[in-house]
Amino acid sequence: MPFTDSWLRTRLRAAPAGALALAALVMVTAFLAAALPRAVDRYEDRALRKAVASAAPRDRGVSLSDDYRTSDDPSGEDKLKPATISAVERDFRALLRPPLRIDPSEVVQGVRSGAEAEVPDPELPRTSDHAPGAVLVAQAALADHVKVVAGALPRPEPAGPAALAFDGVVTEKTAQVLHLKVGQTVHMMKFGAKPLTVRISGIVAPRDPSAGYWTMDDDMLAPLVSYPPHLPIDPPRTYWHFTVLVDPTAARSMPLLGTGASLYWHHPLQTEELTAHDVPALRAELSALGSGPLATRLATATGSSSLHTSAGVGAVLDNFADDRDASEPLVLIAAVGVGTTAFAVLLMAAGLAADRRRGEMSLLRSAAARCAASSAGWSPRPPRRPCPRGPPVRSWRCWCCPRAAPRPRWCSARSSPPRGRWRCRCGPRWPPAGPGPPSARTWWRSGPRGAGWSSS
């Protein structure tokens, strides 16, 4: 439709600054009202992602764990096989549904010896008379997360019974602290009849020390100073605790220490698509994995009744939900305050504009009243003309009575009906005491029945 509103065009030309200022104020208020919910959502999403990213490594996702006992499978050919561990991972991923999304590149799976074993080798440095302790770790995709500083990566073990001697690597920091070299052997013993012999085949450095591959356990990157159990009255003794990385095929030798083994699968969440609106559904999924229908399906698919799920991220989500519930009243108060201020500013601007156009509004109301009267049959009295001589040609009607009241036409000498009260043929006096036509002027009606009212 073409723009032909002359009144609006005139108004814009008469006061362009005021009209543009009011339009800008309304536009800014509308944009703020539309942007506020989105801004709150973005703030909550950033807070949730930051809370998950700043949590402890094991509290950033969902972890599976299973225990291997030597009495269950002495040969270690079932649960400790790399193919079995990968099959459990596939079964777990098949159960995941949005909004529970994991980061496949950060998944860590492997086997760790069930307990720390003593290393009685005298050439290793000690902090006290307590012998150093070590654990064996067989994590998948070792070659993808390390760069070889010296030597080579451990060789895969051939098929057959578990061996008492195999290759292993240590990190660069561990080699520096414990004075380990390529080709050196480390003997580990706990409850087994014979010690395990690990040959240091290489020294490696992590490609990304901050990756979950190295941070899920605090003893992966460097040796730690540990304390053995002691009585409160005894002085504490310290010793070095370190980790030896072996090939996944050598995991079947871990039960020979007599401590069993621990299987683990760590799954960090994918925080790029994590939103605050997904928190309720995400908590429900985690509950189902922990002790719900998904846990039952996982145990059935893997055939392991000892496999259980621990969701460290659940505590992070609970804390986030509590913080959001506590801050919602403050956000609501701020939104209501800003909205009330904007509404008051708009009202004041509209009041000022209406006050400046008071005369114009009165003129518009008068014009509208004339248009309404014309459309309803009300019209002003036509111009007065001299009365021609002769018999009357009109009959006058009293507005209070629909019947005709013949009257001679008024001559030009008397240009209007007689003032005061007079009585028509129908009886009532004119004008009556009741309500009359909607005008302050004297209205009259002429012509045949059904003609419109006129005024003088």
Side-chain angles (χ1 to χ4, degrees), residues 22 76 109 126 135 179 188 199 202 224 227 230 249 262-263 278 328 351 370 381 387 427 435 447:
L22 182 60
Q109 64 183 34
R126 302 187 181 190
V135 293
H179 305 161
M188 304 174 59
R199 188 182 71 90
L224 303 176
Y227 297 86
H230 62 279
T249 56
S262 298
L263 295 82
D278 296 336
E328 277 184 356
R370 272 199 308 274
R381 181 177 178 178
C387 259

Side-chain angles (χ1 to χ4, degrees), residues 269-349:
L269 292 187
Q270 192 174 8
T271 58
E272 289 79 8
E273 300 182 5
L274 189 61
T275 61
H277 293 286
D278 296 336
V279 171
L282 188 57
R283 295 169 70 181
E285 287 290 324
L286 295 177
S287 299
L289 277 174
S291 58
L294 294 182
T296 303
R297 292 170 56 185
L298 180 62
T300 304
T302 59
S304 174
S305 59
S306 59
L307 184 67
H308 62 277
T309 306
S310 60
V313 73
V316 178
L317 298 179
D318 294 340
N319 294 333
F320 171 78
D322 295 339
D323 294 341
R324 182 176 59 177
D325 294 340
S327 62
E328 277 184 356
L330 301 178
V331 176
L332 180 61
I333 291 174
V336 171
V338 173
T340 303
T341 303
F343 184 66
V345 171
L346 290 178
L347 284 182
M348 289 189 293

Side-chain angles (χ1 to χ4, degrees), residues 182-202:
V182 177
Q184 184 177 350
T185 58
V186 175
H187 300 85
M188 304 174 59
M189 58 186 307
K190 187 66 173 177
F191 302 115
K194 297 180 180 180
L196 294 182
T197 302
V198 181
R199 188 182 71 90
I200 305 300
S201 63

